[in-house]
Amino acid sequence: MKENILGIDVCSDTYNELTAKLLDDINHNKKSFIVAINPEKIMKAQHDESLRLLLNQATYQIPDGVGVILASKLKKGKIRERVTGIDMMLKLCEAAAQHHKKIFLYGAKPGIANEAKEKLEEMFPGIQIVGTLDGYEKDEVIINETINRSGAEIIFVALGSPRQENWIIKNKEHLTPSVYQGVGGSFDVISGRLNRAPVMFQKFGLEWLYRLIKEPWRWKRQLDLPKFLIRVLKG
Ligand code: UDP
């Protein structure tokens, strides 16, 4: 099920429902593409038609960000829980370990994807991470061959947004994995290079506040939230 928030489709499925759909996509050899939606992206898409089309082309747009939940509530929609990019990735890793699906990690600075691989292997015994590649390799032939030779069925792409989404759209038809998820800075977090917000912040949906304290230069971007909610109410 999808809801439309200011022209952008957002899925109302839970982690478990999405995981079941993604496993089904792999089993039926269907290509699917997961993109994380937050108010910042929705606002940007208001005056960037190509971004709007790009986000709407994804198979599953996950509601990553409390602002999206608030918008759904204001519009009497059904989205009540966030599905964050990193937690969706971890759920998918857990399911992949259980169901013997192969994973590829593409993106982040040299060495980071490998460190993330090691951490995921500790977290999910039996997981098959069949390849990694840093996000600064620019030779498309090397990138395509490394991914296709690995036999991966799921690929996590950590190139930042919208670079990763553009890369997925451009390449997924000639690559062999079924499931493509853009995961931003998640490899940096999983590898332990970047700290995730403490659990209490996560529980109350206050990651934005933690990020604001750690990286104050983001305040300008975050000021868009009230503007976003007013726009949702008017729209
Ligand atoms: N990155 C990359 N290749 C590039 C540019 C960026 O692999 O050419 C990586 C970068 O090292 C970082 C991630 O993309 O790991 C971007 O993370 P960020 O948190 O900025 O992404 P966001 O989710 O905010 O878009």
Side-chain angles (χ1 to χ4, degrees), residues 184-228:
S186 298
F187 298 174
D188 301 287
V189 175
I190 292 168
S191 69
R193 293 289 184 108
L194 204 81
N195 286 335
R196 205 179 166 186
V199 178
M200 283 313 269
F201 282 83
Q202 291 178 36
K203 214 172 142 191
F204 293 107
L206 294 174
E207 273 118 320
W208 60 271
L209 180 61
Y210 181 76
R211 222 168 167 180
L212 194 60
I213 298 165
K214 298 283 275 192
E215 302 167 304
W217 57 89
R218 285 184 185 262
W219 69 272
K220 232 182 153 156
R221 289 214 237 159
Q222 296 194 346
L223 274 189
D224 274 348
L225 185 60
K227 256 196 249 167
F228 165 72

Side-chain angles (χ1 to χ4, degrees), residues 4 56 117 141 147 165 219:
N4 193 281
N56 282 342
K117 171 180 188 279
V141 177
I147 294 167
E165 285 81 16
W219 69 272

Side-chain angles (χ1 to χ4, degrees), residues 38 40-41 106-110 112 133-138 157-165 183-188 194 211 215 218 221:
N38 55 34
E40 201 181 309
K41 285 186 192 165
Y106 169 43
K109 301 223 170 77
I112 303 279
L133 197 62
D134 71 72
Y136 297 84
E137 170 61 64
K138 297 294 173 215
V157 186
L159 301 175
S161 209
R163 187 184 276 116
Q164 62 201 17
E165 285 81 16
V183 293
S186 298
F187 298 174
D188 301 287
L194 204 81
R211 222 168 167 180
E215 302 167 304
R218 285 184 185 262
R221 289 214 237 159

